[in-house]
Structure formats: structure tokens, C-alpha cells
Amino acid sequence: MQYTIGELARLARVSVRTLHHYDEIGLVVPAARSGSGYRLYTTKELERLQQVLFFRALDFELEDIRRLLDDPAFDARVALETQRTWLRERAEHALSLVRLADLMDAGVSGSDPRAAAIAEGMRLHIDRWFYPCSREHHARLGDMYVDDARFSATYDRIRPGLAAYVRDAIRANRGAT
Amino acid sequence: MQYTIGELARLARVSVRTLHHYDEIGLVVPAARSGSGYRLYTTKELERLQQVLFFRALDFELEDIRRLLDDPAFDARVALETQRTWLRERAEHALSLVRLADLMDAGVSGSDPRAAAIAEGMRLHIDRWFYPCSREHHARLGDMYVDDARFSATYDRIRPGLAAYVRDAIRANRGAT
DNA sequence: CCTTGACCCTCACGCGACGGGAGGGATTAC
DNA sequence: GTAATCCCTCCCGTCGCGTGAGGGTCAAGG
């Protein structure tokens, strides 16, 4: 079976430009060219593209994907483990930013109206972020991850300590400057 | 108090190049230039830079930071609301990828990681997990990272069940196609 | 046979937040 | 005096494509 670039793009739900790019960097190269220069792909390239897209979904860099698929000595399992660590760090970072938002909440309880507005918004955020729950997916996934009581308890336990930490940090910072 | 660009860079722990960049885009502009063209900053600019770095830590775009600091009519609350949504989605996404990596790990443990498992993982990824998983659910999952020990415990507890679920899903998926 | 529209091609610039280097002048310390 | 260290202004590179510009190719219908 042969595909033109547009057909392959529709099949894999990527843009034609993306396939151009993958050709340029040697990630997914067409099996042949037609007389008039059209790229011609076969099911082999479709499969390869699927693999690429899978790893791309895990936020691998394209260059790493190329090595992973081309080098038979490359250990896929190790790569996955590395990537998972990576992703977990990213999640933690994002969540640390949420904590930073908490920091603002506790820190700017004073004078500046802009800061006050920010604090307001942050509080709103916290309520939306930590408390709501989706019953639909609670049902779908069962109680694999979700445990309401424990969840609330964790947050309630952390929050006062966090506020205290923030106040101290701010005082320390003020003293230093 | 006056600072050269290098001094300010050390104080704020950013690179000189970063300060060049912030000057170029009008985000932190030096108070004056010396006769020989050196950038001269005062404590005012240092304070502004601190604010910039704070919002940068929340992953605001520089252009948004500029508007936020310069335009008194700019609605900080709306900006923060947008930003929170953003951050939340990022955390959710990263966590969904962690789970996807887990799926791979579970699916790969048997045969050849390259071909079959990847294809199955991909299908599973698309059909069963990636699209239907709700954002709210991910958000709740995210909170577990607030407490590392507890999260680990939870994670270890659910992991065998997850692997089993994956195997079943793969079988079911095979039957369907 | 000719046109129309859908497809395909190759450049090549643009993004965001800088990193890094080239090529040169200024200042400071000894 | 001179060497080390600072500073300046371009300007190209990153990463994964999006989005044109400017132009060939192909199947179908009049």
C-alpha cells in the first residue's frame, strides 16, 4: 500500500508540514519519490510514524526518538524510566508553582491593592484546584487514585504550616534587604 | 546606589545576556548609560527585576509581565486566573504522561518492547486513557505530590492493580479489533 | 483541449527566552 | 605599560513545527 503525504497525514492525524519536518531531520523518510518529486510512503513508514508519535506523546525529543528507533542497542526500557523521572519532576515543578501561588496568598495580606487582588485570585484558585471532584471519573477509574477523606486531610494539614513558613520567609527576606 | 550590568546580574542571579534581553524588549531598562555606553541600573531597577523574576517563576510570558507591571489598567486578577488554568493543565498533562509511561512499563514487561508493545501501548493510550481522562481527576491526583511519602505509599498500593487493569484492557482491545 | 481545484514541491521567516561567540572598546589592578 | 576583566553591539542557533510565497502536478468536468 502506498500513500501520498496528505493521505499519511490524515491517517496519522498530523500536519503535512510535520511530515515535511520529519523528512528533513531524517525521522520518517518516504520510501520513494514519484517522477514529479512527490513523497511516497508505505505501511512501513506509517508504522514508524505511529511509534514516533507515541514517544512524542511522552514528550521525548525528536532526536532522541530517532536514536531510540534506529539504534538497536538503545535500551527502550531505560529510556522510558528516564523519561518517567523527567515527567514526574515536571509535575512536581508545576505543583511547586501552585505552592508559590499559595505563598503569594499568605504574603500579600497587607496594603497594595494589586497584591490584594492577586491574593483574592489565588484563594479562588485554591478552592477550585484542591476541592472539586469528578464523580464520573471516580466511577470510571474506581478508587485507584482517589480517596476523598485522605485528600482533604492532607491539604488541611499542610495549609497552616505553609502559611507560617511563608510569613517567616517573608520576614527573613525583609530583614536581609 | 548604582550597579553595572554585571553587578545587577550577580545580585539577581541572572545572566548578563538576560539583562540585555530584558533591555531589548523594554522589560527592565537601565536608568542611564555611562559616557562609554555602559548600562547603569539603580535599586529601582533591581526591585523591578525582582518582580519580573517572581512572575517569571510562575511561568508568565515576558510580554505579559511587562503589561502587568506597566499598565495600571491591566487586570492582574484575570491574568492570574489564566495563568492558574495554564499551570494546572500543565501539571495534569505531565501526570497523564507519567501514567502513560507506567502503562508502557506494564505492557512491555513481556515480549519485544519495540514492536508489539509499543503499538498496543499506543492504541491503549489513545483509546482508553488519553482522551477520556478528565482534567479534574488529574488535578486530584496531582495533590498527592504535596506529600511525597504518602504519595509513594498510595502509588505502590495501586500499582499492581494498575498493571492488571492494563493487561485486561489490552486483551479487551485485541478482541475489539 | 482547457480550466478548475485540490494536491504537491521547495525555500524561508517566525515564535520565546535567551546562549554563545565574534570583534572590538573601556576600566581597573598591579 | 599591560594584562585581566569588564562592557558594548550585532547576529546566528535552539525546538518543533505554523504559515505563508511562489510555483509545478494531477484528476475530473465542460
Side-chain angles (χ1 to χ4, degrees), chain B residues 7 10 14 23 39 49 57 59 71 89 105 143 152 165:
Chain B
E7 287 163 357
R10 268 193 301 280
V14 298
D23 185 9
R39 289 174 180 82
L49 179 57
D59 269 11
D71 182 1
E89 280 174 5
D105 198 22
D143 182 53
S152 299
Y165 174 86

Side-chain angles (χ1 to χ4, degrees), chain B residues 95-112:
Chain B
L95 285 164
S96 79
L97 294 186
V98 170
R99 294 202 304 180
L100 181 55
D102 282 342
L103 290 181
M104 286 298 300
D105 198 22
V108 152
S109 56
S111 53
D112 177 19

Side-chain angles (χ1 to χ4, degrees), chain A residues 2-174:
Chain A
Q2 271 196 345
Y3 311 101
T4 67
I5 197 169
E7 287 163 357
L8 184 61
R10 266 194 302 279
L11 275 172
R13 292 178 201 180
V14 298
S15 72
V16 169
R17 180 67 182 93
T18 295
L19 293 177
H20 280 168
H21 186 57
Y22 291 174
D23 186 7
E24 282 171 22
I25 66 174
L27 184 55
V28 180
V29 180
R33 294 280 190 137
S34 78
S36 50
Y38 286 21
R39 290 173 180 83
L40 297 175
Y41 298 90
T42 70
T43 40
K44 207 166 197 169
E45 282 75 44
L46 173 57
E47 280 172 21
R48 185 175 169 100
L49 179 57
Q50 300 277 24
Q51 295 186 3
V52 167
L53 294 180
F54 172 74
F55 286 108
R56 193 185 65 167
L58 285 174
D59 269 12
F60 276 77
E61 293 183 15
L62 297 184
E63 178 56 26
D64 288 339
I65 298 177
R66 205 178 54 69
R67 277 201 290 267
L68 206 146
L69 295 180
D70 288 343
D71 182 1
F74 201 99
D75 191 334
R77 210 176 298 190
V78 170
L80 276 167
E81 183 57 43
T82 306
Q83 191 67 3
R84 192 161 46 175
T85 304
W86 220 104
L87 290 168
R88 210 168 275 159
E89 279 172 10
R90 263 194 12 195
E92 280 169 16
H93 180 64
L95 286 164
S96 79
L97 293 187
V98 172
R99 279 195 287 260
L100 182 55
D102 271 342
L103 200 148
M104 289 187 66
D105 183 21
V108 294
S109 51
S111 48
D112 182 12
R114 185 172 296 184
I118 289 172
E120 248 284 315
M122 282 301 167
R123 213 169 349 250
L124 217 138
H125 158 61
I126 286 161
D127 291 342
R128 274 210 211 146
W129 163 267
F130 287 101
Y131 287 109
C133 126
S134 157
R135 298 181 186 285
E136 181 192 346
H137 282 86
H138 197 292
R140 178 189 288 274
L141 296 172
D143 52 4
M144 272 187 185
Y145 291 96
V146 178
D147 183 327
D148 259 336
R150 171 175 296 189
F151 167 80
S152 303
T154 301
Y155 181 65
D156 288 339
R157 192 166 50 72
I158 280 175
R159 187 169 172 157
L162 185 63
Y165 168 84
V166 163
R167 275 193 298 278
D168 291 349
I170 286 174
R171 251 204 304 276
N173 201 29
R174 240 184 231 136

